[in-house]
Amino acid sequence: QGPDKLQTWMRIADIQREELNDHTAAMTTYSELLREHQGHEAASRNLEALLRAEQLHDALAALLLDRVEHHETARERHGTLRELAAVYLNLLDQPTNAFLVLQKAASEQPREMSTRAELERLAGTTGMWSDLLDTYDTVLEHLSGNEARDLTVQAAELVVEHLNRPQVAVGYYSRALTLDPDHDHSIRAMARLCSDLGRWAELVELLGRIIERTSDYKEQQDFLHRLAE
């Protein structure tokens, strides 16, 4: 009886949608079906199409959020979360909610660069820089090698530019150098911060590393003078 009832519901909804062009009745039938059979793919997709056609964007967002709960794989959840973020951003004009949804998407697929790029763009719109830093920290748990180094450097630069927390930035640069001890950009950036903060012991060690690495005689002399000060 269960499968027969499900097929009957689907047939009724399809007739309402395709033959009677009664979208309201079809949406009601699909919704009732989904309450009884959560995660039913065909019913969810058909209801989504109707909600988009009728521009019922709040209901569309709720449907996509429910769909995420029934996906079995991280890739599926990531894709639907990206769709949901687009609804919040482009149809509901809710960039904060879009950002929060994309944060979840980034945690599902940490190495997906396009999701991270969209988060960075939205942080500029919403001012959610601290939340973006949280996302970086979450993503970094899943990265290694140069990927981890580069994102750690991005985190350091974010902290300096948008959060004005140079002490925290020093910590990120230190982590980047743990991943890549010869990373010239991190050495120099951390040296500048240590100079500004008066962290002299660390500065001396960093300047020594720069002197060892550079073949520019004038630059070597400039750093030696700084060490002598």
Side-chain angles (χ1 to χ4, degrees):
Q1 185 177 0
D4 290 341
K5 183 179 180 181
L6 177 60
Q7 291 177 3
T8 300
W9 264 344
M10 285 294 294
R11 180 58 183 151
I12 290 171
D14 290 344
I15 291 171
Q16 292 168 329
R17 175 171 61 96
E18 297 171 3
E19 299 178 22
L20 301 178
N21 200 33
D22 188 344
H23 288 185
T24 300
M27 287 188 291
T28 298
T29 303
Y30 284 130
S31 297
E32 290 175 352
L33 188 157
L34 286 168
R35 277 194 291 272
E36 292 288 332
H37 299 273
Q38 296 180 359
H40 190 281
E41 184 71 16
S44 181
R45 293 294 178 185
N46 290 345
L47 179 56
E48 177 188 350
L50 291 173
L51 293 172
R52 289 185 183 277
E54 298 297 321
Q55 298 185 19
L56 297 172
H57 301 143
D58 285 309
L60 174 60
L63 175 69
L64 293 174
L65 185 60
D66 179 73
R67 187 181 295 167
V68 171
E69 299 300 318
H70 295 94
H71 284 320
E72 295 183 356
T73 69
R75 183 168 296 279
E76 288 176 317
R77 289 191 292 273
H78 175 266
T80 300
L81 287 165
R82 289 296 302 262
E83 292 180 43
L84 177 57
V87 170
Y88 278 129
L89 184 61
N90 301 322
L91 302 180
L92 292 171
D93 192 25
Q94 297 178 14
T96 298
N97 281 339
F99 184 98
L100 295 173
V101 169
L102 285 171
Q103 273 192 304
K104 175 62 176 173
S107 71
E108 294 289 350
Q109 293 281 274
R111 301 180 73 174
E112 177 55 60
M113 297 291 291
S114 63
T115 300
R116 209 182 308 159
E118 182 66 7
L119 276 166
E120 289 160 358
R121 189 186 71 79
L122 280 174
T125 301
T126 61
M128 299 175 72
W129 298 109
S130 181
D131 298 273
L132 180 59
L133 184 63
D134 290 341
T135 299
Y136 284 171
D137 287 335
T138 298
V139 169
L140 280 167
E141 295 175 6
H142 303 273
L143 302 183
S144 60
N146 288 348
E147 280 185 310
R149 179 203 66 194
D150 292 344
L151 187 57
T152 302
V153 170
Q154 278 186 253
E157 292 170 346
L158 182 157
V159 167
V160 171
E161 183 175 353
H162 298 290
L163 300 180
N164 192 29
R165 297 169 63 188
Q167 296 275 11
V168 175
V170 168
Y172 279 106
Y173 281 123
S174 180
R175 287 170 59 184
L177 290 171
T178 299
L179 293 162
D180 182 358
D182 296 322
H183 192 237
D184 189 69
H185 174 80
S186 294
I187 294 172
R188 292 171 182 270
M190 186 174 170
R192 287 192 295 271
L193 289 174
C194 287
S195 178
D196 293 340
L197 295 167
R199 296 173 62 158
W200 309 121
E202 290 163 286
L203 177 61
V204 168
E205 190 269 334
L206 291 163
L207 291 179
R209 291 167 71 175
I210 294 172
I211 291 169
E212 289 175 358
R213 294 172 55 80
T214 184
S215 59
D216 185 318
Y217 178 77
K218 183 178 182 304
E219 188 177 36
Q220 286 179 335
Q221 294 305 305
D222 288 342
F223 283 119
L224 285 170
H225 285 306
R226 291 178 64 181
L227 279 172
E229 291 177 354

